[in-house]
């Protein structure tokens, strides 16, 4: 007889504890990009454990289907002395106990609910339910009532955050009688103004960026004077930035009767080229009666030990300083071929499943940091389209604003190619972990570094999935990127079955076609491969074990798509530079006259464009002064034949 009574009492006790946790405040629509969203929970008793509870967000839109789109376990959290726990975005003050990414919450009609359950019980797409439900709030911002969502959650009223016409500056707040009102947000405080009032602590720095060797003054301030000495700690370490990188005390004491304390930190100027780093100022444990008004401020520490490269940027290109790392026999199988047979032979090299490797989309970040590294500063990448440098640290790693950030641009848009992410793409597992890939492995085009470039975030968005020619870069760009893009697109169209480049502007809905071929051919011809692009090809080769042949052998483009279709290709006009002792060709670059010294009699010099067209032939003597004043500015291949030896040089005419 006693056992059923005991079970009944336990059941009542559980229901009683559930009933004391409610959704106290919600702010879904905030100014800007929603970095100040709030979900605040309230328990009837202070310091209430939230173990065993989960917060779930439901999407009430037609496409959302009244199903979950976000769930987070509350295990390990407790409410504060006022019975509150604040959950919110990165700009909420005081600092939330549980942080949300910016723009996490939908604006309505949607719902927030608390369950006795785990986040694993609510995978994305789980229908709203009353099973194990503790409290739910269905809300909107001037949207029609979602009666089905209300029914699924067992609530009878949908609350409008915009009931006063101030949806971005007011929040939904629960009153003591269980009804709701909209008014100015009160994060971290009871909605009626009662309860314990905390003394907030904040810190500031003069700048957000400092150089190695400089001092940083961190000023800690409380809202009101402290009534006794207040002591707490803070930390600065963050990944590669450690205690070896700075000097200074990380303990703070604000003396009784005052409200401020300045801590001076010395950044050590070492000689290591470790790249720019980020120092993160983070509060340690805060004594009772205080809360954090801000936290986790990231400070850029600029490394002054960066290196430069001898070759130029795409805007100021150099030629002949970076040699190909391709094996001497890499293109041997192309010799004497033409037409579709030549194209297939190229694919056989660059999609060889016994050699070629595919890496994850996350690995692309590390590849681009090396392949697109700015020749002017090893801590920066060179951006496609906008033709500028940007710090490697400013990669856009998640959602939110892309202003001032760089990200990964698919030159052949994913939507146009039909290749997308899979879950494994989110893991960067390094150069030694790879997947076997074939010509039919179209999905691997998603993470093929030959078709991906570092780009300015907003400009990447502006390009969208337009064809080239339809898109020609931002206003005022010099087009230094155009040949690079052309060769990347042409590579992909040979590397993967199912991708093609065509004339005109095919409909964006046609998967596997991208234009405009005629434009890309012009870009390839007018912007030949330079040292930056050759270095990029070498780095990608070290990861993927394949090369872009249209960088190494740019004349191949004409044999596949251009003015030499059907002709037999020969490697005779490779642009590899060979040396003959005691022969000098100078100056290079040249303005008008080129000098050649050290040859024997009966030598010959021939000039070719980088696409293989012969434009000039001349018999030369031991010493020769050649007039190139009629040559157009650009890069040429000079082939000198001397005593059955051949020397080839890139010659740049200014």
């Amino acid at each position: 007889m006693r056992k059923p009574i005991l079970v009944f009492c336990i059941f009542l006790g559980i229901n009683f504890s559930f009933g004391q946790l409610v959704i106290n405040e919600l702010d879904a629509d905030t100014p800007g990009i929603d970095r100040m969203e709030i979900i605040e929970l309230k328990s009837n008793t202070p310091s209430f454990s939230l173990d065993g509870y989960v917060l779930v967000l439901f999407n009430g839109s037609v496409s959302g289907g009244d199903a979950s789109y976000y769930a987070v376990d509350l295990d390990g959290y407790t409410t504060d002395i006022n019975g509150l726990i604040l959950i919110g975005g990165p700009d909420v003050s005081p600092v939330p106990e549980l942080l949300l990414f910016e723009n996490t919450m939908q604006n309505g009609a949607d719902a927030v609910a608390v369950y006795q359950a785990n986040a694993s019980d609510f995978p994305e797409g789980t229908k709203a339910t009353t099973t194990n439900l503790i409290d739910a709030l269905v809300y909107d911002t001037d949207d029609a009532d979602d009666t089905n969502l209300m029914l699924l959650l067992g609530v009878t009223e949908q609350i409008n955050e915009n009931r006063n016409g101030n949806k971005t500056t007011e929040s939904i707040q629960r009153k003591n009688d269980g009804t709701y009102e909209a008014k100015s947000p009160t994060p971290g405080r009871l909605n009626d103004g009662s309860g314990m009032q905390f003394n907030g602590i904040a810190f500031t720095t003069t700048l957000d960026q400092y150089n190695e060797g400089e001092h940083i003054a961190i000023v800690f301030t409380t809202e009101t004077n402290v009534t006794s000495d207040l002591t707490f700690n803070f930390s600065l370490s963050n990944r590669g930035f450690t205690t070896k990188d700075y000097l200074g005390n990380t303990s703070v004491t604000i003396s009784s009767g005052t409200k401020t304390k300045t801590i001076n930190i010395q950044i050590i100027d070492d000689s290591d080229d470790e790249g720019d780093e980020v120092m993160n100022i983070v509060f340690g444990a805060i004594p009772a009666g205080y809360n954090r008004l801000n936290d986790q401020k990231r400070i850029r520490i600029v490394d002054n030990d960066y290196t430069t490269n001898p070759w130029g940027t795409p805007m100021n290109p150099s030629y002949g300083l970076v040699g190909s790392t391709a094996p001497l026999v890499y293109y041997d199988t192309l010799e004497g071929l033409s037409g579709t047979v030549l194209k297939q032979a190229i694919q056989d090299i660059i999609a060889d499943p016994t050699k070629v490797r595919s890496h994850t989309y996350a690995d692309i970040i590390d590849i681009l940091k090396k392949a697109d590294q700015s020749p002017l500063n090893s801590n920066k990448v060179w951006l496609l389209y906008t033709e500028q440098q940007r710090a490697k640290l400013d990669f856009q790693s998640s959602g939110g604003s892309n202003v001032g950030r760089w990200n990964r641009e698919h030159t052949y848009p994913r939507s146009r190619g039909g290749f997308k992410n899979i879950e494994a793409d989110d893991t960067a597992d390094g150069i030694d972990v790879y997947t076997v890939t074939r010509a039919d492995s179209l999905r691997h085009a998603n993470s093929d570094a030959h078709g991906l470039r570092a780009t300015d975030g907003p400009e990447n968005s502006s390009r969208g999935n337009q064809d080239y020619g339809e898109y020609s870069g931002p206003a005022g760009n010099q087009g230094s990127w155009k040949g690079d893009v052309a060769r990347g697109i042409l590579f992909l169209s040979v590397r993967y079955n199912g991708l093609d480049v065509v004339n005109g502007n095919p409909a964006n809905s046609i998967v596997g076609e991208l234009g405009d071929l005629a434009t890309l051919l012009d870009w390839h011809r007018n912007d030949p491969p330079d040292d930056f692009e050759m270095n990029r090809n070498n780095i990608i080769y070290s990861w993927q074990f394949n090369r872009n042949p249209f960088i190494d052998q740019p004349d191949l483009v004409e044999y596949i798509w251009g003015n030499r279709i059907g002709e037999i290709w020969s490697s005779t006009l490779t642009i590899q530079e060979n040396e003959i002792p005691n022969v000098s060709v100078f100056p290079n670059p040249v303005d008008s006259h080129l000098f050649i010294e050290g040859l024997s009699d009966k030598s010959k010099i021939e000039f070719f464009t980088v696409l293989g067209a012969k434009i000039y032939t001349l018999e030369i003597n031991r010493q020769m002064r050649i007039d190139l004043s009629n040559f157009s500015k650009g890069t040429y291949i000079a082939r000198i034949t001397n005593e059955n030896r051949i020397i080839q040089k890139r010659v740049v005419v200014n």
Side-chain angles (χ1 to χ4, degrees):
M1 295 292 293
R2 292 181 179 178
K3 189 173 182 180
I5 294 174
L6 177 60
V7 172
F8 181 70
C9 291
I10 292 173
F11 178 75
L12 287 178
I14 292 173
N15 274 294
F16 176 77
S17 66
F18 290 171
Q20 67 172 319
L21 187 64
V22 296
I23 299 167
N24 191 55
E25 184 172 0
L26 183 142
D27 195 356
D29 197 353
T30 65
I33 55 174
D34 282 338
R35 292 175 58 88
M36 299 178 67
E37 296 172 335
I38 294 170
I39 303 171
E40 186 178 75
L41 307 181
K42 180 179 180 294
S43 60
N44 287 343
T45 58
S47 304
F48 179 76
S49 173
L50 298 178
D51 289 348
Y53 292 89
V54 59
L55 179 72
V56 185
L57 307 184
F58 292 103
N59 187 343
S61 68
V62 174
S63 61
D66 298 329
S68 61
Y69 65 91
Y70 179 83
V72 59
D73 285 316
L74 301 179
D75 297 333
Y77 292 95
T78 60
T79 60
D80 65 15
I81 197 169
N82 290 323
L84 301 177
I85 180 170
L86 180 61
I87 302 166
D91 288 349
V92 174
S93 183
V95 177
E97 289 300 308
L98 195 162
L99 281 172
L100 300 176
F101 290 112
E102 61 189 33
N103 200 28
T104 295
M105 298 175 63
Q106 308 277 3
N107 288 343
D110 300 295
V112 175
V114 179
Y115 290 87
Q116 186 211 10
N118 297 310
S120 58
D121 298 321
F122 293 91
E124 186 174 349
T126 304
K127 280 283 188 182
T129 177
T130 57
T131 302
N132 296 324
L133 178 66
I134 306 304
D135 192 30
L137 173 60
V138 182
Y139 65 92
D140 68 277
T141 50
D142 276 346
D143 301 283
D145 283 359
D146 187 338
T147 54
N148 187 62
L149 183 57
M150 294 164 63
L151 179 64
L152 290 172
L153 292 172
V155 301
T156 58
E157 184 182 12
Q158 180 171 303
I159 309 302
N160 185 4
E161 187 177 329
N162 198 42
R163 59 175 57 184
N164 301 323
N166 301 314
K167 62 181 180 180
T168 62
T169 57
E170 292 185 343
S171 65
I172 297 171
Q173 298 181 34
R174 191 178 193 274
K175 297 194 292 186
N176 292 332
D177 62 4
T179 62
Y180 296 93
E181 62 182 336
K183 62 179 185 178
S184 296
T186 60
R189 304 192 306 274
L190 292 173
N191 297 337
D192 63 4
S194 63
M196 179 176 180
Q197 303 300 308
F198 293 93
N199 191 357
I201 314 173
F203 58 79
T204 59
T205 59
T206 303
L207 303 173
D208 294 330
Q209 177 173 300
Y210 293 85
N211 297 316
E212 283 188 348
E214 294 184 331
H215 286 83
I216 303 176
I218 308 175
V219 181
F220 293 87
T221 306
T222 56
E223 290 181 296
T224 61
N225 290 345
V226 300
T227 56
S228 60
D229 286 358
L230 170 64
T231 299
F232 56 88
N233 297 321
F234 65 96
S235 65
L236 301 174
S237 297
N238 180 48
R239 296 186 179 181
F241 188 86
T242 68
T243 54
K244 297 184 297 184
D245 295 305
Y246 68 90
L247 296 172
N249 188 11
T250 56
S251 178
V252 183
T253 297
I254 300 178
S255 300
S256 178
T258 66
K259 58 185 297 187
T260 186
K261 177 69 175 182
T262 299
I263 300 294
N264 289 301
I265 299 295
Q266 168 72 53
I267 304 300
I268 296 174
D269 186 3
D270 58 32
S271 58
D272 297 333
D273 179 17
E274 55 199 353
D276 295 346
E277 295 181 304
V278 175
M279 180 181 81
N280 194 18
I281 308 175
V282 181
F283 275 114
I286 298 298
Y290 296 88
N291 61 11
R292 301 163 298 157
L293 298 180
N294 67 340
D295 202 1
Q296 300 204 32
K297 182 173 183 179
R298 297 176 181 272
I299 304 294
R300 174 73 54 83
I301 307 299
V302 178
D303 187 2
N304 55 15
D305 300 303
Y306 65 84
T307 59
T308 61
N309 293 117
W311 55 87
T313 69
M315 289 186 70
N316 184 30
S318 62
Y319 303 88
L321 299 178
V322 180
S324 169
T325 57
L328 292 177
V329 297
Y330 192 75
Y331 296 110
D332 279 3
T333 55
L334 307 184
E335 194 73 24
L337 303 181
S338 64
T340 57
V341 177
L342 175 61
K343 184 176 181 181
Q344 181 60 54
I346 294 172
Q347 186 187 70
D348 291 343
I349 296 172
I350 63 178
D352 183 351
T354 67
K355 298 177 182 178
V356 178
R357 302 175 173 184
S358 177
H359 295 275
T360 69
Y361 190 48
D363 280 323
I364 287 295
I365 302 168
D366 291 326
I367 297 176
L368 294 185
K369 285 180 179 179
K370 297 179 177 68
D372 287 348
Q373 178 174 299
S374 170
L376 305 177
N377 189 322
S378 57
N379 296 332
K380 298 181 179 182
V381 289
W382 186 265
L383 302 184
L384 196 74
Y385 304 146
T386 54
E387 304 172 318
Q388 62 186 150
Q389 301 180 97
R390 183 151 300 156
K392 291 180 178 179
L393 279 177
D394 288 329
F395 175 74
Q396 184 187 1
S397 57
S398 61
S401 174
N402 58 10
V403 176
R405 301 287 180 174
W406 66 273
N407 53 30
R408 294 159 288 186
E409 157 75 330
H410 287 87
T411 53
Y412 202 118
R414 286 195 283 192
S415 63
R416 304 288 296 273
F419 36 88
K420 298 180 180 179
N421 267 13
I422 61 173
E423 186 176 345
D425 269 333
D426 296 333
T427 301
D429 41 28
I431 194 170
D432 295 323
V433 180
Y434 57 89
T435 302
V436 174
T437 181
R438 299 172 174 81
D440 289 327
S441 304
L442 180 57
R443 203 205 63 75
H444 292 158
N446 182 59
S447 55
D448 194 316
H450 288 297
L452 284 150
R453 294 296 294 262
T455 49
D456 172 68
E459 191 58 36
N460 189 346
S461 300
S462 295
R463 187 261 166 138
N465 62 359
Q466 297 176 82
D467 294 299
Y468 288 106
E470 180 184 10
Y471 174 82
S472 295
N477 81 91
Q478 295 185 25
S480 65
W481 51 273
K482 291 183 174 178
D484 304 47
V485 161
R487 286 178 284 277
I489 295 294
L490 297 175
F491 167 88
L492 293 173
S493 70
V494 176
R495 163 69 176 87
Y496 296 97
N497 295 331
L499 295 185
D500 199 5
V501 56
V502 299
N503 285 310
N505 299 113
N508 290 3
S509 59
I510 301 177
V511 176
E513 289 189 3
L514 186 72
D516 168 43
L517 175 59
T519 296
L520 293 172
L521 290 178
D522 284 343
W523 288 359
H524 166 70
R525 292 160 180 158
N526 295 328
D527 177 30
D530 56 22
D531 287 324
F532 180 89
E533 202 173 353
M534 181 62 77
N535 178 68
R536 189 174 198 279
N537 205 14
N538 292 343
I539 289 171
I540 295 172
Y541 179 54
S542 71
W543 280 74
Q544 297 184 179
F545 285 23
N546 67 356
R547 302 183 63 82
N548 186 332
F550 308 122
I551 296 172
D552 292 337
Q553 307 285 352
D555 60 309
L556 278 171
V557 171
E558 300 297 339
Y559 288 80
I560 304 299
W561 294 278
N563 54 31
R564 306 190 74 171
I565 294 175
E567 295 183 26
I568 294 175
W569 184 81
S570 173
S571 61
T572 303
L573 292 179
T574 59
I575 55 176
Q576 180 179 350
E577 295 188 1
N578 307 303
E579 295 297 331
I580 298 177
N582 304 318
V583 174
S584 299
V585 179
F586 63 94
N588 193 10
V590 57
D591 291 324
S592 58
H593 289 83
L594 186 70
F595 292 85
I596 300 177
E597 294 182 351
L599 292 171
S600 62
D601 293 335
K602 297 182 180 180
S603 297
K604 179 176 68 174
I605 186 168
E606 299 167 290
F607 287 90
F608 300 83
T609 69
V610 292
L611 301 179
K614 185 190 297 186
I615 59 172
Y616 187 51
T617 302
L618 184 68
E619 297 292 331
I620 54 178
N621 300 316
R622 293 177 181 272
Q623 296 183 351
M624 194 76 181
R625 178 174 180 264
I626 303 173
D627 185 0
L628 301 183
S629 59
N630 291 327
F631 279 38
S632 299
K633 292 182 179 180
T635 302
Y636 300 88
I637 302 164
R639 184 172 69 178
I640 303 169
T641 304
N642 174 251
E643 295 182 345
N644 297 319
R645 294 177 298 176
I646 295 176
I647 175 175
Q648 295 188 158
K649 289 282 189 179
R650 287 182 179 86
V651 175
V652 179
V653 177
N654 289 330

